[in-house]
Amino acid sequence: MSIPQKKVLCLFDIDGTLTESRKVITPIMTQFLLKLKTKVSIGFVGGSDLPKQIEQLGEDLVKQADFSFSENGLVAYKGENLIHKNDLKTAIGEGRLRKFIDKTLALLSTVDIPVKRGTFIEFRNGMINVSPIGRNCSQAERDDFDKYDKEHHIRQGMIDKLIPEFGDIFTFSIGGQISFDVFPHGWDKRYCLQFCTGFDEIHFFGDKTSPGGNDYEIFSDGRVIGHTVKNPEDTQAQCNSLFLS
Ligand code: M1P
């Protein structure tokens, strides 16, 4: 009698895990993933939108994957079928969004920093991005703000003022140089796990798995077996020894 095979899903972060940061996947990695797919189910989960995901991984690979989750799963495909779509407006509602934006605009006008430009609030499909200096600052202004913020904690100061009123709805995250992201609780990479049903094991591979990194929440979720990788070559090596040897 043959022993039933475990149903395994391997979920991969994209930047730094399958590709060099913001770069296109190599043909070697594409071939490797298709070979892996003969043994286990595979899926991709990234923060960027679907067109960007396709640009990085290639349309063929995205279509052949068992799951592809863009915007952390706000857009979810099972094979070639769209199974879920969500956005901030639908989930939070115009009333609460307006309250947040009004409060943030008022707060922005009180922030004391040497330089202010434009686009202080960027409304995205799944998050609001708030920048005290404004997103259309120059590269030099961006670098200067970054230095200034390290000393004066401007962004953290704003977040501390927003949390008492909006901390029950939103997570605040400082990721880059000049802004912070605001999104509903749980809308990190864990969001996609609700669609990954019917597996005995879900393995997640990511490079930013330490606290504060955008793989941390899914990596440490009880539903997955987390693996930290150093780069795409390491992802390949770890999958080889776990599933192909
Ligand atoms: O990827 C990290 C962050 O990159 C940008 O941040 P900033 O413009 O502040 O450097 C933004 O796209 C932000 O949303 C993102 O989290």
Side-chain angles (χ1 to χ4, degrees):
M1 208 171 74
S2 66
I3 303 162
Q5 287 271 309
K6 270 189 199 164
K7 286 195 78 184
V8 174
L9 170 65
C10 286
L11 271 180
F12 297 96
D13 161 55
I14 297 169
D15 277 322
T17 300
L18 294 181
T19 73
E20 295 302 332
S21 211
R22 295 170 196 226
K23 298 269 166 60
V24 169
I25 195 166
T26 62
I28 291 173
M29 182 57 101
T30 301
Q31 285 315 310
F32 177 77
L33 290 169
L34 293 174
K35 186 174 164 200
L36 184 65
K37 191 178 176 283
T38 63
K39 300 280 180 193
V40 298
S41 298
I42 63 167
F44 311 124
V45 53
S48 53
D49 60 15
L50 185 60
K52 178 72 191 155
Q53 195 173 91
I54 288 174
E55 198 182 303
Q56 271 186 290
L57 299 181
E59 197 168 358
D60 279 359
L61 183 62
V62 170
K63 278 186 177 165
Q64 286 185 68
D66 299 279
F67 294 96
S68 87
F69 301 115
S70 41
E71 299 178 54
N72 295 343
L74 293 186
V75 176
Y77 278 84
K78 188 171 183 176
E80 291 193 47
N81 300 317
L82 179 67
I83 54 169
H84 179 81
K85 207 168 186 321
N86 199 1
D87 62 69
L88 208 51
K89 275 186 287 184
T90 314
I92 301 294
E94 293 294 357
R96 283 195 296 180
L97 281 177
R98 252 199 54 195
K99 212 167 152 207
F100 176 79
I101 289 169
D102 286 348
K103 173 79 187 209
T104 306
L105 284 170
L107 192 55
L108 281 161
S109 72
T110 67
V111 169
D112 184 14
I113 49 174
V115 170
K116 292 193 186 183
R117 295 294 178 254
T119 315
F120 300 98
I121 295 184
E122 187 173 86
F123 192 82
R124 302 178 182 169
N125 194 44
M127 69 166 72
I128 295 170
N129 179 266
V130 180
S131 172
I133 181 174
R135 296 206 62 77
N136 64 0
C137 60
S138 67
Q139 185 60 48
E141 289 160 348
R142 169 181 268 275
D143 294 341
D144 286 347
F145 177 85
D146 191 21
K147 275 192 219 129
Y148 190 85
D149 193 54
K150 285 199 173 89
E151 203 179 316
H152 299 275
H153 311 290
I154 300 298
R155 292 180 288 178
Q156 191 56 53
M158 285 188 71
I159 291 172
D160 291 346
K161 290 196 174 96
L162 290 166
I163 281 179
E165 204 173 332
F166 302 100
D168 58 332
I169 322 173
F170 292 128
T171 297
F172 297 84
S173 161
I174 298 178
Q177 284 185 297
I178 56 157
S179 64
F180 59 90
D181 297 327
V182 184
F183 48 86
H185 293 307
W187 283 29
D188 47 60
K189 288 191 177 131
R190 285 174 299 178
Y191 188 92
C192 75
L193 293 176
Q194 62 188 295
F195 310 112
C196 304
T197 52
F199 292 98
D200 300 311
E201 284 177 6
I202 301 173
H203 291 254
F204 171 77
F205 296 83
D207 65 323
K208 296 201 179 63
T209 55
S210 304
N214 64 6
D215 295 327
Y216 174 70
E217 290 85 359
I218 188 169
F219 170 80
S220 46
D221 191 285
R223 290 167 286 181
V224 315
I225 300 166
H227 305 272
T228 305
V229 302
K230 293 190 201 88
N231 49 42
E233 291 71 35
D234 189 31
T235 305
Q236 218 170 303
Q238 291 198 34
C239 286
N240 250 325
S241 81
L242 282 166
F243 307 111
L244 296 173
S245 55

